[in-house]
Amino acid sequence: MVQAYDILVIGGGASGLAAAIAAGRGIAGRRPPASILILERLDRVGKKLLVTGNGRCNITNRDVSPAKFHTVRPEIAEAVLRTLSPRQTAAFFAELGVLFRFDETGRAYPYSLQASSVLDALRAGAAEAGALTRCGCRVTSIRPRGGGFLVEAEERAGPGRYAARRVILAAGGSAAPKLGSDGGGCRLLEALGHIVLPETPAIVQLKTDSTYTRPLKGIKVEGSATLYIDGKKERAEAGEILFTDYGLSGPPILQISRAAVRAGKGRRAEVSVDCMPDYPFHRVCALLSNRAARRPACPLEDYFTGLLHKRVGQTLFKACGLSLRDPAGGLTQVQWKAVASKVKDFRFRVTGHTGWANAQTTAGGLDLAGFSPSGLESRKVKGLYACGEALDVDGDCGGYNLQWAWASGLLAGRSAADSLLKA
C-alpha cells in the first residue's frame, strides 16, 4: 500500500524540523489542506539536537560571517545564509516560544539553557504547521515517478512505500551515527546523479603521540593551540585545552580538527600548545631564569608551582630531558631557553582522530553546485530539495552548524511549499 503526501521530509533533526515548519506555514490555508510527513530513522526526532552545546543547545551566534563556514562552493552557501540573519533566527524561535540569551563570545542559547526546550518547541511548531512524524523509518530509495516521487523505507512493521509531490532530504551527514545521521542520505541522492564530495569528521578530538599527553590525562590548560601542516601554520585557536590518554581535546582542538583531519595521512600535521599565551617568549625566558636565581635550591619537580599545573610543569622538564630532582640553580641559560621554548611550543604529532562516533559534524557531503542557491532545489531532479548537514557546508564551533541548519531548512521548506502553490 502506498501512502500519499504532498511533502515528505526525510530526517527529523534540526534542519528537517525547520523545513517541516516552513513548509507547513507556507501552504497554510491551501484547499484541500496539504499533507506533510517527517520520516525519522531513530525512535524519536532531534536526538542530536539534545547534546549540542553540552546539553544547553548553542542555537546560533551573533557573528555568522562567511569565514565561519567551510565548503567548496562558498558563493552558494553565502546566498543561503543571507536568507536568515541571527536576528531573524531569534524571531523564528520567539514565535515558537523560545527566548535567547547570549554569552560574552556572542553564542546564543535558549534562555532556559536546556536543549530539550528547543526540541520541544520545534516539535510543537511542526505539529502546529500540520506536519506528522513517523519514527523508526529508514528510507532506502527515492525514485521520481509521475511528476512526484516514490519513497521506499524499512520500518518496524515491514517495508513502507510513500508517494510525495515534493521531497526534502534532511537526513544529516555521517557524524554521530547513534544520534541519527549515518551518511545514508547522501547515498540516496548520489543514486539520483548528485555528486557527494569526500566526507571527513569535523569538530572532533585529535589523537597524537601520547608520550606526554597520557601522563597529563584529565588536566586542562588555558592556552592556545596552533595547527601546522608540513611545517606551515594553518590555524590557531585559544581556550581550554584538555590532555587525554589518546591525545588532545577541548574547544581550541575541536576548532582546528577539521584541517588536521583533512590533511590526511600523506602530510605531517602537528599541534603546538602554548601553555603561557599571555607572555611572549622573551618574557618567559626572563621569568624562568629570574625565578631560578631567587630559588636556586628548588627542585625542578616543584619549580612551576604557581605558574602552571604542577604535572604540566614536570612534563615540560621531562620533555626537555631534565631530571626533576635537579635544582633550578643548576640549569644554564641555554637550558632555560629550551624550557621556555617548550612552554611556548609544546609540539604534538597528530596521528588520527577519535572517529565518526565522536565527531560533531561532517565536512564534505552533497556538492552545493547540484542545488539552486535561491531555494535549494535539485538541479537534477525537479521537486527534490536538500538541507542541513547532508550538504557540503560545515561550520566552526559556536552555533554555526545550527545556524546553517535553520537557514537551509527554512529555505528548503519555503521553496517546496511555494512550488506546490504554483503547481
Side-chain angles (χ1 to χ4, degrees):
M1 180 178 175
V2 178
Q3 303 174 60
Y5 292 87
D6 287 304
I7 298 176
L8 276 184
V9 179
I10 300 174
S15 66
L17 290 168
I21 292 171
R25 290 178 176 179
I27 54 181
R30 177 178 174 267
R31 293 292 181 268
S35 54
I36 301 171
L37 178 65
I38 301 170
L39 297 178
E40 168 56 39
R41 183 172 71 92
L42 298 185
D43 58 354
R44 63 173 297 182
V45 299
K47 278 194 171 182
K48 190 173 182 180
L49 190 62
L50 291 175
V51 303
T52 59
N54 293 320
R56 298 185 303 164
C57 192
N58 182 189
I59 299 179
T60 186
N61 199 296
R62 279 198 175 102
D63 173 21
V64 290
S65 61
K68 304 295 184 181
F69 299 87
H70 312 282
T71 174
V72 299
R73 311 288 181 189
E75 68 286 352
I76 299 178
E78 289 173 29
V80 174
L81 289 165
R82 282 195 298 269
T83 65
L84 189 77
S85 68
R87 181 174 295 180
Q88 290 170 317
T89 301
F92 169 71
F93 276 98
E95 289 181 6
L96 298 177
V98 177
L99 299 182
F100 283 10
R101 67 168 73 198
F102 292 85
D103 68 12
E104 65 281 358
T105 69
R107 300 185 183 203
Y109 297 89
Y111 203 79
S112 65
L113 295 179
Q114 290 182 301
S116 59
S117 65
V118 177
L119 177 55
D120 288 344
L122 288 167
R123 291 175 61 195
E128 290 170 2
L132 303 175
T133 301
R134 181 159 297 173
C135 294
C137 181
R138 183 187 183 94
V139 174
T140 55
S141 72
I142 304 170
R143 286 184 288 165
R145 190 183 74 168
F149 300 89
L150 177 65
V151 174
E152 297 181 313
E154 295 175 354
E155 304 181 43
R156 298 187 186 96
R161 303 177 79 213
Y162 301 88
R165 298 177 64 193
R166 302 290 183 270
V167 169
I168 302 173
L169 181 87
S174 295
K178 289 184 178 180
L179 298 177
S181 55
D182 63 356
C186 289
R187 307 286 89 78
L188 293 173
L189 266 59
E190 187 175 39
L192 295 175
H194 278 274
I195 294 173
V196 179
L197 300 174
E199 295 175 294
T200 55
I203 311 184
V204 66
Q205 302 90 343
L206 294 178
K207 292 182 178 180
T208 70
D209 179 344
S210 60
T211 302
Y212 297 115
T213 65
R214 185 174 289 116
L216 298 175
K217 177 182 178 181
I219 293 175
K220 299 175 181 178
V221 170
E222 193 70 29
S224 67
T226 302
L227 175 67
Y228 290 90
I229 304 295
D230 293 337
K232 181 180 178 181
K233 182 178 178 179
E234 184 75 19
R235 182 170 181 177
E237 295 288 338
E240 195 173 70
I241 300 165
L242 172 66
F243 295 101
T244 72
D245 56 352
Y246 57 78
L248 299 168
S249 187
I253 302 302
L254 298 180
Q255 291 282 47
I256 66 176
S257 64
R258 182 189 196 277
V261 173
R262 291 239 144 184
K265 296 181 180 180
R267 304 175 69 188
R268 184 180 182 87
E270 297 174 296
V271 177
S272 169
V273 175
D274 184 346
C275 298
M276 297 181 68
D278 298 325
Y279 292 81
F281 173 73
H282 73 276
R283 287 193 62 191
V284 174
C285 284
L287 180 65
L288 297 184
S289 60
N290 292 341
R291 190 179 176 91
R294 291 195 302 270
R295 303 180 62 198
C298 178
L300 297 184
E301 180 180 15
D302 301 319
Y303 179 82
F304 272 106
T305 301
L307 286 181
L308 298 174
H309 190 289
K310 184 175 181 178
R311 279 167 53 197
V312 172
Q314 292 171 349
T315 302
L316 289 168
F317 281 127
K318 289 179 181 179
C320 291
L322 299 170
S323 171
L324 298 181
R325 294 188 297 271
D326 290 344
L331 272 63
T332 65
Q333 287 299 313
V334 171
Q335 287 175 311
W336 280 122
K337 283 186 178 180
V339 175
S341 293
K342 193 67 67 175
V343 170
K344 296 293 292 178
D345 183 6
F346 201 179
R347 194 69 67 101
F348 301 90
R349 173 75 183 270
V350 177
T351 60
H353 54 82
T354 57
W356 284 114
N358 297 291
Q360 293 184 28
T361 193
T362 305
L366 291 165
D367 189 346
L368 284 176
F371 300 88
S372 163
S374 62
L376 290 176
E377 183 177 18
S378 169
R379 296 183 188 274
K380 299 180 179 295
V381 184
K382 188 173 178 59
L384 176 64
Y385 302 79
C387 57
E389 192 180 332
L391 296 167
D392 172 40
V393 179
D394 61 287
D396 290 344
C397 298
Y400 301 107
N401 287 295
L402 280 181
Q403 178 64 19
W404 171 253
W406 313 134
S408 61
L410 292 173
L411 178 60
R414 287 194 302 268
S415 299
D418 288 345
S419 70
L420 275 182
L421 293 176
K422 294 174 183 177

